[in-house]
Short mmCIF file of all heavy atoms in Angstrom, two decimals:
data_model
loop_
_atom_site.label_atom_id
_atom_site.label_comp_id
_atom_site.label_asym_id
_atom_site.label_seq_id
_atom_site.Cartn_x
_atom_site.Cartn_y
_atom_site.Cartn_z
N MET A 1 6.22 -19.95 70.66
CA MET A 1 5.46 -19.00 71.54
C MET A 1 4.27 -19.68 72.00
O MET A 1 3.53 -20.29 71.29
CB MET A 1 5.11 -17.77 70.69
CG MET A 1 4.39 -16.78 71.37
SD MET A 1 5.28 -15.92 72.70
CE MET A 1 6.38 -14.87 71.75
N GLU A 2 4.21 -19.58 73.36
CA GLU A 2 2.97 -20.20 73.85
C GLU A 2 1.78 -19.26 73.77
O GLU A 2 1.84 -17.97 73.73
CB GLU A 2 3.15 -20.25 75.50
CG GLU A 2 2.11 -21.11 76.24
CD GLU A 2 2.59 -21.38 77.61
OE1 GLU A 2 3.69 -21.21 78.03
OE2 GLU A 2 1.76 -21.98 78.30
N ARG A 3 0.56 -19.81 73.66
CA ARG A 3 -0.60 -18.98 73.35
C ARG A 3 -1.68 -19.28 74.36
O ARG A 3 -1.78 -20.46 74.89
CB ARG A 3 -1.15 -19.30 72.01
CG ARG A 3 -0.30 -18.86 70.79
CD ARG A 3 -0.76 -19.34 69.48
NE ARG A 3 0.05 -18.81 68.38
CZ ARG A 3 -0.08 -17.68 67.79
NH1 ARG A 3 -1.16 -16.92 68.02
NH2 ARG A 3 0.74 -17.32 66.78
N CYS A 4 -2.49 -18.31 74.55
CA CYS A 4 -3.67 -18.49 75.42
C CYS A 4 -4.59 -19.57 74.71
O CYS A 4 -4.99 -19.34 73.53
CB CYS A 4 -4.51 -17.13 75.54
SG CYS A 4 -6.10 -17.33 76.30
N PRO A 5 -4.92 -20.66 75.32
CA PRO A 5 -5.79 -21.83 74.70
C PRO A 5 -7.23 -21.31 74.26
O PRO A 5 -7.82 -21.95 73.52
CB PRO A 5 -5.70 -22.98 75.52
CG PRO A 5 -5.34 -22.34 76.88
CD PRO A 5 -4.49 -21.12 76.59
N VAL A 6 -7.61 -20.26 74.95
CA VAL A 6 -9.02 -19.86 74.83
C VAL A 6 -9.19 -18.89 73.49
O VAL A 6 -9.95 -19.12 72.65
CB VAL A 6 -9.54 -19.12 76.05
CG1 VAL A 6 -10.91 -18.53 75.76
CG2 VAL A 6 -9.64 -20.01 77.23
N CYS A 7 -8.27 -17.93 73.44
CA CYS A 7 -8.34 -16.97 72.32
C CYS A 7 -7.23 -16.96 71.35
O CYS A 7 -7.27 -16.43 70.21
CB CYS A 7 -8.52 -15.53 72.79
SG CYS A 7 -6.98 -15.03 73.66
N GLY A 8 -6.14 -17.69 71.68
CA GLY A 8 -5.03 -17.85 70.69
C GLY A 8 -4.04 -16.74 70.86
O GLY A 8 -3.05 -16.72 69.92
N MET A 9 -4.22 -15.79 71.69
CA MET A 9 -3.29 -14.82 71.79
C MET A 9 -1.90 -15.12 72.30
O MET A 9 -1.87 -15.91 73.18
CB MET A 9 -3.87 -13.68 72.69
CG MET A 9 -3.07 -12.31 72.76
SD MET A 9 -3.91 -11.15 73.92
CE MET A 9 -2.94 -11.30 75.24
N GLU A 10 -0.90 -14.61 71.63
CA GLU A 10 0.41 -14.96 72.25
C GLU A 10 0.74 -14.45 73.62
O GLU A 10 0.32 -13.39 73.95
CB GLU A 10 1.52 -14.31 71.18
CG GLU A 10 1.59 -14.92 69.82
CD GLU A 10 2.51 -14.53 68.93
OE1 GLU A 10 3.21 -13.52 69.26
OE2 GLU A 10 2.64 -14.95 67.80
N LEU A 11 1.28 -15.43 74.29
CA LEU A 11 1.66 -14.88 75.72
C LEU A 11 3.06 -14.70 75.81
O LEU A 11 3.94 -15.56 75.63
CB LEU A 11 1.37 -16.12 76.55
CG LEU A 11 -0.19 -16.55 76.60
CD1 LEU A 11 -0.20 -17.77 77.49
CD2 LEU A 11 -1.07 -15.46 77.06
N TYR A 12 3.46 -13.54 76.30
CA TYR A 12 4.83 -13.10 76.45
C TYR A 12 5.27 -13.41 77.86
O TYR A 12 4.42 -13.56 78.82
CB TYR A 12 4.99 -11.65 76.18
CG TYR A 12 4.70 -11.35 74.67
CD1 TYR A 12 3.53 -10.87 74.37
CD2 TYR A 12 5.69 -11.40 73.77
CE1 TYR A 12 3.12 -10.61 73.07
CE2 TYR A 12 5.46 -11.17 72.46
CZ TYR A 12 4.22 -10.71 72.12
OH TYR A 12 3.88 -10.44 70.82
N GLU A 13 6.53 -13.72 77.94
CA GLU A 13 7.05 -14.19 79.24
C GLU A 13 6.67 -13.42 80.47
O GLU A 13 6.33 -13.84 81.50
CB GLU A 13 8.56 -14.51 79.14
CG GLU A 13 9.03 -15.65 78.41
CD GLU A 13 8.48 -16.94 78.95
OE1 GLU A 13 8.42 -17.02 80.25
OE2 GLU A 13 7.94 -17.74 78.26
N ASN A 14 6.73 -12.11 80.32
CA ASN A 14 6.45 -11.27 81.42
C ASN A 14 4.99 -11.28 81.86
O ASN A 14 4.66 -10.88 82.99
CB ASN A 14 6.85 -9.82 81.19
CG ASN A 14 6.17 -9.25 79.95
OD1 ASN A 14 5.64 -9.92 79.12
ND2 ASN A 14 6.06 -7.97 79.90
N ARG A 15 4.05 -11.73 81.00
CA ARG A 15 2.58 -11.85 81.38
C ARG A 15 2.17 -13.30 81.64
O ARG A 15 1.26 -13.49 82.27
CB ARG A 15 1.75 -11.25 80.30
CG ARG A 15 2.06 -9.87 80.09
CD ARG A 15 0.90 -9.18 79.30
NE ARG A 15 -0.39 -9.36 80.01
CZ ARG A 15 -1.48 -9.32 79.39
NH1 ARG A 15 -1.79 -9.14 78.22
NH2 ARG A 15 -2.71 -9.45 80.21
N ALA A 16 2.98 -14.18 81.11
CA ALA A 16 2.48 -15.61 81.06
C ALA A 16 2.34 -16.27 82.42
O ALA A 16 1.42 -17.29 82.55
CB ALA A 16 3.43 -16.45 80.21
N ASN A 17 2.95 -15.75 83.44
CA ASN A 17 2.85 -16.35 84.79
C ASN A 17 1.70 -15.85 85.60
O ASN A 17 1.52 -16.17 86.76
CB ASN A 17 4.21 -16.27 85.45
CG ASN A 17 5.23 -17.12 84.88
OD1 ASN A 17 4.89 -18.34 84.50
ND2 ASN A 17 6.37 -16.68 84.84
N GLU A 18 0.96 -14.87 84.97
CA GLU A 18 -0.02 -14.26 85.84
C GLU A 18 -1.28 -15.01 86.08
O GLU A 18 -1.88 -14.87 87.12
CB GLU A 18 -0.39 -12.83 85.21
CG GLU A 18 0.73 -11.87 85.15
CD GLU A 18 0.29 -10.50 84.54
OE1 GLU A 18 -1.02 -10.40 84.38
OE2 GLU A 18 1.25 -9.74 84.27
N PHE A 19 -1.62 -15.94 85.14
CA PHE A 19 -2.88 -16.63 85.22
C PHE A 19 -2.80 -18.13 84.92
O PHE A 19 -3.32 -18.68 83.98
CB PHE A 19 -3.97 -16.02 84.32
CG PHE A 19 -4.00 -14.58 84.37
CD1 PHE A 19 -3.40 -13.72 83.45
CD2 PHE A 19 -4.68 -13.92 85.42
CE1 PHE A 19 -3.54 -12.37 83.50
CE2 PHE A 19 -4.82 -12.61 85.55
CZ PHE A 19 -4.12 -11.81 84.65
N PRO A 20 -1.88 -18.78 85.69
CA PRO A 20 -1.68 -20.21 85.41
C PRO A 20 -2.82 -21.14 86.00
O PRO A 20 -3.48 -20.71 87.02
CB PRO A 20 -0.37 -20.45 86.16
CG PRO A 20 -0.35 -19.56 87.35
CD PRO A 20 -1.10 -18.33 86.87
N THR A 21 -3.04 -22.27 85.47
CA THR A 21 -3.90 -23.29 85.97
C THR A 21 -3.37 -24.68 85.68
O THR A 21 -2.56 -24.64 84.69
CB THR A 21 -5.34 -23.13 85.56
OG1 THR A 21 -6.18 -23.99 86.36
CG2 THR A 21 -5.48 -23.50 84.13
N MET A 22 -3.76 -25.69 86.40
CA MET A 22 -3.38 -27.07 86.08
C MET A 22 -4.52 -27.82 85.71
O MET A 22 -5.63 -27.65 86.22
CB MET A 22 -2.82 -27.73 87.31
CG MET A 22 -1.44 -27.04 87.78
SD MET A 22 0.04 -27.25 86.60
CE MET A 22 0.18 -29.11 86.75
N HIS A 23 -4.36 -28.57 84.55
CA HIS A 23 -5.52 -29.39 84.06
C HIS A 23 -4.93 -30.81 83.59
O HIS A 23 -4.06 -30.82 82.71
CB HIS A 23 -6.18 -28.69 82.94
CG HIS A 23 -7.34 -29.66 82.30
ND1 HIS A 23 -8.36 -30.13 82.98
CD2 HIS A 23 -7.47 -30.05 81.11
CE1 HIS A 23 -9.09 -30.85 82.21
NE2 HIS A 23 -8.53 -30.77 81.08
N LEU A 24 -5.35 -31.88 84.13
CA LEU A 24 -4.85 -33.07 83.77
C LEU A 24 -3.27 -33.30 83.90
O LEU A 24 -2.65 -33.84 82.97
CB LEU A 24 -5.40 -33.49 82.36
CG LEU A 24 -6.85 -33.72 82.33
CD1 LEU A 24 -7.21 -34.01 80.80
CD2 LEU A 24 -7.49 -34.76 83.14
N GLY A 25 -2.81 -32.69 84.98
CA GLY A 25 -1.37 -32.71 85.11
C GLY A 25 -0.58 -31.82 84.23
O GLY A 25 0.71 -31.79 84.29
N GLN A 26 -1.23 -30.95 83.33
CA GLN A 26 -0.43 -30.18 82.60
C GLN A 26 -0.73 -28.63 82.93
O GLN A 26 -1.78 -28.29 83.30
CB GLN A 26 -1.00 -30.32 81.03
CG GLN A 26 0.05 -29.74 79.98
CD GLN A 26 -0.40 -30.10 78.65
OE1 GLN A 26 -1.17 -31.06 78.43
NE2 GLN A 26 0.17 -29.29 77.64
N ARG A 27 0.26 -27.78 82.70
CA ARG A 27 0.13 -26.40 83.03
C ARG A 27 -0.35 -25.68 81.98
O ARG A 27 0.26 -25.73 80.83
CB ARG A 27 1.52 -25.92 83.58
CG ARG A 27 1.59 -24.48 84.08
CD ARG A 27 3.02 -24.27 84.51
NE ARG A 27 3.21 -22.79 84.76
CZ ARG A 27 3.04 -22.32 85.99
NH1 ARG A 27 2.64 -23.10 87.03
NH2 ARG A 27 3.13 -21.04 86.29
N TYR A 28 -1.35 -24.80 82.07
CA TYR A 28 -1.87 -23.95 81.04
C TYR A 28 -1.71 -22.44 81.54
O TYR A 28 -1.89 -22.19 82.74
CB TYR A 28 -3.31 -24.21 80.76
CG TYR A 28 -3.53 -25.49 80.02
CD1 TYR A 28 -3.73 -26.71 80.78
CD2 TYR A 28 -3.65 -25.60 78.62
CE1 TYR A 28 -3.82 -27.95 80.21
CE2 TYR A 28 -3.87 -26.82 78.16
CZ TYR A 28 -3.98 -27.94 78.90
OH TYR A 28 -4.13 -29.16 78.23
N ARG A 29 -1.47 -21.66 80.57
CA ARG A 29 -1.41 -20.23 80.91
C ARG A 29 -2.26 -19.33 80.07
O ARG A 29 -2.55 -19.79 78.83
CB ARG A 29 0.17 -19.76 80.80
CG ARG A 29 0.87 -20.45 81.91
CD ARG A 29 2.24 -19.96 82.06
NE ARG A 29 3.02 -20.23 80.85
CZ ARG A 29 4.33 -20.16 80.83
NH1 ARG A 29 5.02 -19.50 81.84
NH2 ARG A 29 4.98 -20.46 79.68
N PHE A 30 -2.75 -18.25 80.43
CA PHE A 30 -3.75 -17.48 79.78
C PHE A 30 -3.48 -16.06 79.70
O PHE A 30 -2.68 -15.49 80.46
CB PHE A 30 -5.12 -17.72 80.53
CG PHE A 30 -5.48 -19.11 80.63
CD1 PHE A 30 -5.05 -19.91 81.70
CD2 PHE A 30 -6.21 -19.68 79.65
CE1 PHE A 30 -5.31 -21.21 81.70
CE2 PHE A 30 -6.45 -21.16 79.67
CZ PHE A 30 -5.99 -21.86 80.75
N CYS A 31 -4.13 -15.29 78.84
CA CYS A 31 -3.96 -13.80 78.64
C CYS A 31 -4.54 -13.04 79.72
O CYS A 31 -4.13 -11.96 79.94
CB CYS A 31 -4.38 -13.44 77.20
SG CYS A 31 -6.26 -13.61 77.15
N SER A 32 -5.61 -13.72 80.35
CA SER A 32 -6.38 -12.97 81.32
C SER A 32 -7.02 -13.88 82.30
O SER A 32 -7.19 -15.07 81.96
CB SER A 32 -7.46 -12.11 80.57
OG SER A 32 -8.31 -13.06 79.97
N ALA A 33 -7.52 -13.30 83.46
CA ALA A 33 -8.21 -14.12 84.43
C ALA A 33 -9.45 -14.61 83.78
O ALA A 33 -9.93 -15.67 84.12
CB ALA A 33 -8.39 -13.29 85.59
N GLU A 34 -10.16 -13.87 82.94
CA GLU A 34 -11.42 -14.17 82.33
C GLU A 34 -11.18 -15.51 81.55
O GLU A 34 -12.10 -16.38 81.57
CB GLU A 34 -11.88 -13.07 81.44
CG GLU A 34 -12.56 -11.91 82.15
CD GLU A 34 -11.51 -10.87 82.67
OE1 GLU A 34 -10.39 -11.11 82.36
OE2 GLU A 34 -11.91 -10.11 83.46
N HIS A 35 -10.14 -15.52 80.80
CA HIS A 35 -9.91 -16.70 79.95
C HIS A 35 -9.58 -17.93 80.67
O HIS A 35 -9.88 -19.07 80.38
CB HIS A 35 -8.96 -16.41 78.78
CG HIS A 35 -9.57 -15.68 77.67
ND1 HIS A 35 -8.90 -15.14 76.60
CD2 HIS A 35 -11.07 -15.28 77.60
CE1 HIS A 35 -9.78 -14.50 75.85
NE2 HIS A 35 -11.01 -14.55 76.35
N ARG A 36 -8.83 -17.62 81.79
CA ARG A 36 -8.51 -18.85 82.76
C ARG A 36 -9.78 -19.37 83.27
O ARG A 36 -10.08 -20.59 83.37
CB ARG A 36 -7.65 -18.40 83.78
CG ARG A 36 -7.26 -19.50 84.76
CD ARG A 36 -6.59 -18.99 85.99
NE ARG A 36 -7.41 -18.00 86.74
CZ ARG A 36 -7.06 -17.17 87.71
NH1 ARG A 36 -5.83 -17.14 87.97
NH2 ARG A 36 -7.95 -16.40 88.21
N ASP A 37 -10.66 -18.51 83.64
CA ASP A 37 -11.93 -18.92 84.28
C ASP A 37 -12.84 -19.64 83.26
O ASP A 37 -13.45 -20.63 83.57
CB ASP A 37 -12.74 -17.79 84.85
CG ASP A 37 -12.09 -17.12 86.10
OD1 ASP A 37 -11.15 -17.76 86.66
OD2 ASP A 37 -12.37 -16.04 86.44
N GLU A 38 -12.73 -19.24 82.05
CA GLU A 38 -13.53 -19.76 80.96
C GLU A 38 -13.06 -21.23 80.77
O GLU A 38 -13.76 -22.24 80.54
CB GLU A 38 -13.47 -18.91 79.66
CG GLU A 38 -14.55 -19.18 78.72
CD GLU A 38 -14.46 -18.15 77.53
OE1 GLU A 38 -14.42 -16.79 77.92
OE2 GLU A 38 -14.42 -18.45 76.52
N PHE A 39 -11.69 -21.33 80.68
CA PHE A 39 -11.15 -22.68 80.44
C PHE A 39 -11.53 -23.58 81.65
O PHE A 39 -11.76 -24.72 81.38
CB PHE A 39 -9.52 -22.41 80.35
CG PHE A 39 -8.80 -23.76 80.20
CD1 PHE A 39 -8.53 -24.30 78.94
CD2 PHE A 39 -8.33 -24.42 81.28
CE1 PHE A 39 -7.94 -25.51 78.79
CE2 PHE A 39 -7.71 -25.68 81.19
CZ PHE A 39 -7.47 -26.20 79.86
N GLU A 40 -11.33 -23.16 82.86
CA GLU A 40 -11.70 -23.95 83.95
C GLU A 40 -13.04 -24.42 84.05
O GLU A 40 -13.47 -25.39 84.57
CB GLU A 40 -11.27 -23.24 85.26
CG GLU A 40 -9.65 -23.07 85.48
CD GLU A 40 -9.29 -22.36 86.71
OE1 GLU A 40 -10.16 -21.67 87.21
OE2 GLU A 40 -8.21 -22.60 87.13
N ALA A 41 -14.02 -23.55 83.50
CA ALA A 41 -15.43 -23.90 83.45
C ALA A 41 -15.64 -25.11 82.38
O ALA A 41 -16.50 -25.91 82.69
CB ALA A 41 -16.20 -22.69 83.04
N THR A 42 -15.06 -25.05 81.40
CA THR A 42 -15.19 -26.14 80.33
C THR A 42 -13.86 -26.55 79.73
O THR A 42 -13.54 -26.25 78.64
CB THR A 42 -16.05 -25.55 79.26
OG1 THR A 42 -15.47 -24.39 78.64
CG2 THR A 42 -17.43 -25.31 79.70
N PRO A 43 -12.90 -27.21 80.52
CA PRO A 43 -11.68 -27.55 80.06
C PRO A 43 -11.58 -28.43 78.91
O PRO A 43 -10.68 -28.45 78.09
CB PRO A 43 -10.99 -28.13 81.32
CG PRO A 43 -12.11 -28.56 82.13
CD PRO A 43 -13.20 -27.66 81.88
N GLY A 44 -12.63 -29.22 78.64
CA GLY A 44 -12.62 -30.16 77.59
C GLY A 44 -12.74 -29.50 76.19
O GLY A 44 -12.35 -30.16 75.20
N GLU A 45 -13.02 -28.32 76.05
CA GLU A 45 -13.30 -27.64 74.82
C GLU A 45 -12.01 -27.11 74.20
O GLU A 45 -11.95 -26.74 73.06
CB GLU A 45 -14.30 -26.50 74.92
CG GLU A 45 -15.76 -26.98 75.30
CD GLU A 45 -16.72 -25.86 75.33
OE1 GLU A 45 -16.32 -24.75 74.85
OE2 GLU A 45 -17.79 -26.03 75.72
N TYR A 46 -10.96 -27.08 75.03
CA TYR A 46 -9.68 -26.46 74.58
C TYR A 46 -8.63 -27.51 74.58
O TYR A 46 -8.37 -28.17 75.70
CB TYR A 46 -9.34 -25.24 75.47
CG TYR A 46 -10.49 -24.31 75.56
CD1 TYR A 46 -11.24 -24.32 76.66
CD2 TYR A 46 -10.83 -23.43 74.54
CE1 TYR A 46 -12.43 -23.48 76.82
CE2 TYR A 46 -11.81 -22.54 74.63
CZ TYR A 46 -12.67 -22.51 75.80
OH TYR A 46 -13.66 -21.63 75.88
N ASP A 47 -7.75 -27.58 73.64
CA ASP A 47 -6.58 -28.56 73.64
C ASP A 47 -5.32 -27.73 73.47
O ASP A 47 -5.26 -26.96 72.50
CB ASP A 47 -6.79 -29.55 72.55
CG ASP A 47 -7.87 -30.55 73.03
OD1 ASP A 47 -8.02 -30.85 74.14
OD2 ASP A 47 -8.56 -30.98 72.04
ZN1 ZN B 1 -7.17 -15.34 75.95
#
């Protein structure tokens, strides 16, 4: 199960494509636009 890298919440398939971003050639997905923006602001803090 893929998880939101910011809060660790499980991402279900029907929601996982709503907030994608790319970082260092890898695709990340998030539970919410807020967590995507948080990740994009400081991508080095999340692995
Ligand atoms: Zn989250």
Side-chain angles (χ1 to χ4, degrees):
M1 181 65 73
E2 190 168 355
R3 289 173 181 271
C4 172
V6 175
C7 69
M9 189 174 101
E10 292 183 351
L11 299 176
Y12 296 96
E13 283 302 320
N14 62 336
R15 298 196 58 200
N17 289 318
E18 292 181 11
F19 309 103
T21 192
M22 295 294 291
H23 175 62
L24 300 177
Q26 196 174 343
R27 183 182 172 90
Y28 290 86
R29 295 188 290 189
F30 302 88
C31 66
S32 64
E34 284 80 8
H35 283 176
R36 182 192 59 198
D37 292 346
E38 205 171 305
F39 179 90
E40 289 179 340
T42 55
E45 292 184 14
Y46 309 100
D47 290 323

